[in-house]
Short mmCIF file of all heavy atoms in Angstrom, two decimals:
data_model
loop_
_atom_site.label_atom_id
_atom_site.label_comp_id
_atom_site.label_asym_id
_atom_site.label_seq_id
_atom_site.Cartn_x
_atom_site.Cartn_y
_atom_site.Cartn_z
N GLY A 72 -3.20 -10.47 17.74
CA GLY A 72 -3.49 -11.29 16.57
C GLY A 72 -4.64 -12.25 16.75
O GLY A 72 -5.12 -12.82 15.78
N THR A 75 -8.25 -11.23 15.01
CA THR A 75 -8.53 -11.42 13.60
C THR A 75 -7.87 -12.72 13.14
O THR A 75 -6.72 -13.00 13.50
CB THR A 75 -7.95 -10.26 12.76
OG1 THR A 75 -8.51 -9.02 13.27
CG2 THR A 75 -8.30 -10.41 11.29
N VAL A 76 -8.57 -13.47 12.36
CA VAL A 76 -8.02 -14.73 11.83
C VAL A 76 -7.67 -14.51 10.36
O VAL A 76 -8.50 -14.11 9.56
CB VAL A 76 -9.04 -15.89 11.96
CG1 VAL A 76 -8.46 -17.16 11.32
CG2 VAL A 76 -9.36 -16.14 13.43
N VAL A 77 -6.41 -14.74 10.01
CA VAL A 77 -5.96 -14.66 8.62
C VAL A 77 -5.42 -16.02 8.25
O VAL A 77 -4.48 -16.51 8.87
CB VAL A 77 -4.88 -13.57 8.45
CG1 VAL A 77 -4.44 -13.50 7.00
CG2 VAL A 77 -5.39 -12.21 8.91
N THR A 78 -6.01 -16.63 7.25
CA THR A 78 -5.62 -18.00 6.86
C THR A 78 -4.92 -17.98 5.52
O THR A 78 -5.40 -17.34 4.57
CB THR A 78 -6.88 -18.88 6.76
OG1 THR A 78 -7.59 -18.84 8.02
CG2 THR A 78 -6.51 -20.31 6.41
N ALA A 79 -3.80 -18.64 5.44
CA ALA A 79 -3.06 -18.74 4.18
C ALA A 79 -3.87 -19.59 3.19
O ALA A 79 -4.56 -20.53 3.58
CB ALA A 79 -1.70 -19.34 4.42
N GLY A 80 -3.72 -19.27 1.93
CA GLY A 80 -4.40 -20.02 0.88
C GLY A 80 -3.39 -20.62 -0.08
O GLY A 80 -2.19 -20.65 0.20
N ASN A 82 -0.72 -21.02 -2.58
CA ASN A 82 0.38 -20.13 -3.00
C ASN A 82 0.42 -18.79 -2.26
O ASN A 82 1.06 -17.85 -2.72
CB ASN A 82 0.28 -19.85 -4.52
CG ASN A 82 0.43 -21.12 -5.32
OD1 ASN A 82 1.22 -21.99 -5.02
ND2 ASN A 82 -0.38 -21.24 -6.37
N ILE A 83 -0.27 -18.72 -1.10
CA ILE A 83 -0.23 -17.51 -0.27
C ILE A 83 0.22 -17.88 1.13
O ILE A 83 -0.31 -18.83 1.74
CB ILE A 83 -1.63 -16.86 -0.19
CG1 ILE A 83 -2.10 -16.44 -1.57
CG2 ILE A 83 -1.60 -15.65 0.73
CD1 ILE A 83 -1.32 -15.34 -2.24
N SER A 84 1.20 -17.16 1.65
CA SER A 84 1.67 -17.41 3.03
C SER A 84 1.32 -16.23 3.91
O SER A 84 1.22 -15.08 3.41
CB SER A 84 3.18 -17.66 3.03
OG SER A 84 3.87 -16.43 2.71
N VAL A 85 1.13 -16.51 5.19
CA VAL A 85 0.84 -15.46 6.17
C VAL A 85 1.80 -15.63 7.34
O VAL A 85 1.90 -16.72 7.92
CB VAL A 85 -0.62 -15.53 6.69
CG1 VAL A 85 -0.87 -14.45 7.75
CG2 VAL A 85 -1.59 -15.37 5.56
N THR A 86 2.52 -14.58 7.70
CA THR A 86 3.41 -14.60 8.85
C THR A 86 3.02 -13.44 9.77
O THR A 86 2.35 -12.52 9.37
CB THR A 86 4.88 -14.45 8.43
OG1 THR A 86 5.07 -13.24 7.68
CG2 THR A 86 5.32 -15.63 7.55
N GLY A 87 3.49 -13.50 11.04
CA GLY A 87 3.18 -12.46 12.01
C GLY A 87 1.93 -12.81 12.78
O GLY A 87 1.16 -13.71 12.42
N ASP A 88 1.73 -12.06 13.90
CA ASP A 88 0.53 -12.31 14.75
C ASP A 88 -0.41 -11.14 14.77
O ASP A 88 -1.38 -11.11 15.54
CB ASP A 88 0.94 -12.68 16.19
CG ASP A 88 1.76 -11.57 16.86
OD1 ASP A 88 1.78 -10.42 16.36
OD2 ASP A 88 2.36 -11.85 17.90
N GLY A 89 -0.19 -10.13 13.94
CA GLY A 89 -1.11 -9.00 13.88
C GLY A 89 -0.82 -7.91 14.86
O GLY A 89 -1.51 -6.89 14.88
N SER A 90 0.19 -8.09 15.72
CA SER A 90 0.54 -7.04 16.67
C SER A 90 1.43 -5.98 16.01
O SER A 90 1.89 -6.18 14.88
CB SER A 90 1.30 -7.64 17.88
OG SER A 90 2.53 -8.17 17.45
N SER A 91 1.64 -4.85 16.69
CA SER A 91 2.49 -3.82 16.09
C SER A 91 3.93 -4.27 15.98
O SER A 91 4.66 -3.84 15.10
CB SER A 91 2.42 -2.55 16.96
OG SER A 91 2.84 -2.80 18.30
N ALA A 92 4.33 -5.19 16.86
CA ALA A 92 5.72 -5.70 16.79
C ALA A 92 5.91 -6.67 15.63
O ALA A 92 6.95 -6.64 14.97
CB ALA A 92 6.08 -6.38 18.10
N THR A 93 4.95 -7.52 15.40
CA THR A 93 5.02 -8.49 14.28
C THR A 93 3.71 -8.48 13.52
O THR A 93 2.87 -9.34 13.70
CB THR A 93 5.32 -9.91 14.81
OG1 THR A 93 4.34 -10.27 15.80
CG2 THR A 93 6.70 -10.01 15.42
N PRO A 94 3.52 -7.47 12.67
CA PRO A 94 2.26 -7.40 11.90
C PRO A 94 2.15 -8.53 10.91
O PRO A 94 3.13 -9.16 10.55
CB PRO A 94 2.40 -6.02 11.20
CG PRO A 94 3.88 -5.80 11.10
CD PRO A 94 4.47 -6.41 12.35
N TYR A 95 0.91 -8.75 10.44
CA TYR A 95 0.71 -9.77 9.44
C TYR A 95 1.44 -9.37 8.15
O TYR A 95 1.44 -8.22 7.73
CB TYR A 95 -0.79 -9.87 9.07
CG TYR A 95 -1.61 -10.50 10.15
CD1 TYR A 95 -2.73 -9.83 10.70
CD2 TYR A 95 -1.37 -11.78 10.64
CE1 TYR A 95 -3.52 -10.40 11.65
CE2 TYR A 95 -2.14 -12.35 11.60
CZ TYR A 95 -3.22 -11.68 12.12
OH TYR A 95 -4.00 -12.26 13.08
N VAL A 96 2.08 -10.34 7.52
CA VAL A 96 2.70 -10.16 6.22
C VAL A 96 2.13 -11.26 5.32
O VAL A 96 2.30 -12.45 5.62
CB VAL A 96 4.24 -10.26 6.27
CG1 VAL A 96 4.81 -10.18 4.89
CG2 VAL A 96 4.81 -9.16 7.15
N ILE A 97 1.44 -10.86 4.28
CA ILE A 97 0.83 -11.81 3.33
C ILE A 97 1.65 -11.79 2.04
O ILE A 97 1.88 -10.72 1.46
CB ILE A 97 -0.62 -11.43 3.07
CG1 ILE A 97 -1.42 -11.44 4.38
CG2 ILE A 97 -1.25 -12.38 2.06
CD1 ILE A 97 -2.82 -10.95 4.25
N ALA A 98 2.14 -12.96 1.66
CA ALA A 98 3.03 -13.00 0.51
C ALA A 98 2.58 -14.07 -0.46
O ALA A 98 1.96 -15.08 -0.08
CB ALA A 98 4.47 -13.29 0.96
N ASN A 99 2.89 -13.84 -1.72
CA ASN A 99 2.64 -14.83 -2.77
C ASN A 99 3.83 -15.78 -2.83
O ASN A 99 4.94 -15.36 -3.12
CB ASN A 99 2.46 -14.10 -4.12
CG ASN A 99 2.22 -15.06 -5.27
OD1 ASN A 99 2.03 -16.26 -5.06
ND2 ASN A 99 2.21 -14.53 -6.48
N THR A 100 3.62 -17.03 -2.50
CA THR A 100 4.71 -17.97 -2.47
C THR A 100 5.04 -18.53 -3.85
O THR A 100 6.06 -19.18 -4.02
CB THR A 100 4.39 -19.15 -1.52
OG1 THR A 100 3.18 -19.80 -1.97
CG2 THR A 100 4.19 -18.64 -0.12
#
Side-chain angles (χ1 to χ4, degrees):
T75 304
V76 176
V77 181
T78 303
N82 299 319
I83 299 294
S84 69
V85 178
T86 58
D88 60 13
S90 65
S91 58
T93 54
Y95 289 124
V96 176
I97 301 174
N99 179 8
T100 58

